[in-house]
């Protein structure tokens, strides 16, 4: 069985009315926007399930910005709270959801402009 991508996870969660992708893109995950990703146990599992996709996205984004991955991560909201592998995985699980949610929101916005 093919593993669900982060984009598929977000689209499914919105379809099931568990959260709005626009809220994730605007407000981030730290406030409990995605109820499945509040506790470390859940965010660590999410990270572990999506580790390859997360690092691929980190690499692509850092390349696009002309930065290194560590420098880019040092600018993430919440990075100052990282003090263990668990909190690092939490940070990256939230980042990937916020990052992909922003991309989906941008794609929707572009689509609505081209229709108008």
């Amino acid at each position: 069985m093919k593993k669900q991508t982060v984009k598929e996870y977000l689209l499914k969660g919105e379809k099931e009315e568990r959260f709005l992708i626009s809220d994730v893109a605007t407000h981030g995950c730290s406030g409990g926007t995605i109820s499945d990703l509040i506790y470390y146990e859940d965010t660590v599992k999410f990270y572990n399930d999506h580790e390859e996709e997360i690092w691929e996205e980190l690499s692509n984004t850092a390349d696009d910005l002309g930065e290194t991955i560590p420098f880019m991560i040092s600018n993430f909201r919440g990075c100052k709270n990282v003090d263990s592998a668990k909190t690092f995985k939490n940070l990256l699980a939230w980042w990937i959801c916020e990052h992909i949610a922003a991309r989906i929101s941008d794609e929707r916005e572009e689509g609505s402009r081209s229709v108008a």
Side-chain angles (χ1 to χ4, degrees), residues 25-113:
T26 303
H27 305 293
C29 293
S30 65
T33 311
I34 300 176
S35 61
D36 296 343
L37 296 178
I38 294 175
Y39 300 104
Y40 287 131
E41 178 181 329
D42 300 323
T43 58
V44 168
K45 181 180 181 331
F46 186 89
Y47 171 91
N48 290 338
D49 290 346
H50 299 278
E51 183 176 20
E52 188 175 318
E53 182 180 0
I54 290 168
W55 283 94
E56 184 176 317
E57 199 63 46
L58 283 167
S59 179
N60 292 338
T61 303
D63 285 348
D64 290 347
L65 295 172
E67 298 176 352
T68 64
I69 292 172
F71 180 80
M72 185 177 73
I73 291 173
S74 75
N75 291 304
F76 288 176
R77 177 180 43 218
C79 75
K80 292 183 182 8
N81 300 322
V82 172
D83 59 5
S84 67
K86 176 174 61 177
T87 56
F88 182 69
K89 290 179 177 186
N90 180 78
L91 177 73
L92 294 184
W94 283 355
W95 173 80
I96 192 70
C97 287
E98 294 164 2
H99 183 71
I100 300 297
R103 182 180 299 153
I104 293 168
S105 292
D106 289 347
E107 290 168 356
R108 288 175 174 173
E109 203 173 291
E110 288 172 16
S112 67
R113 279 191 295 231

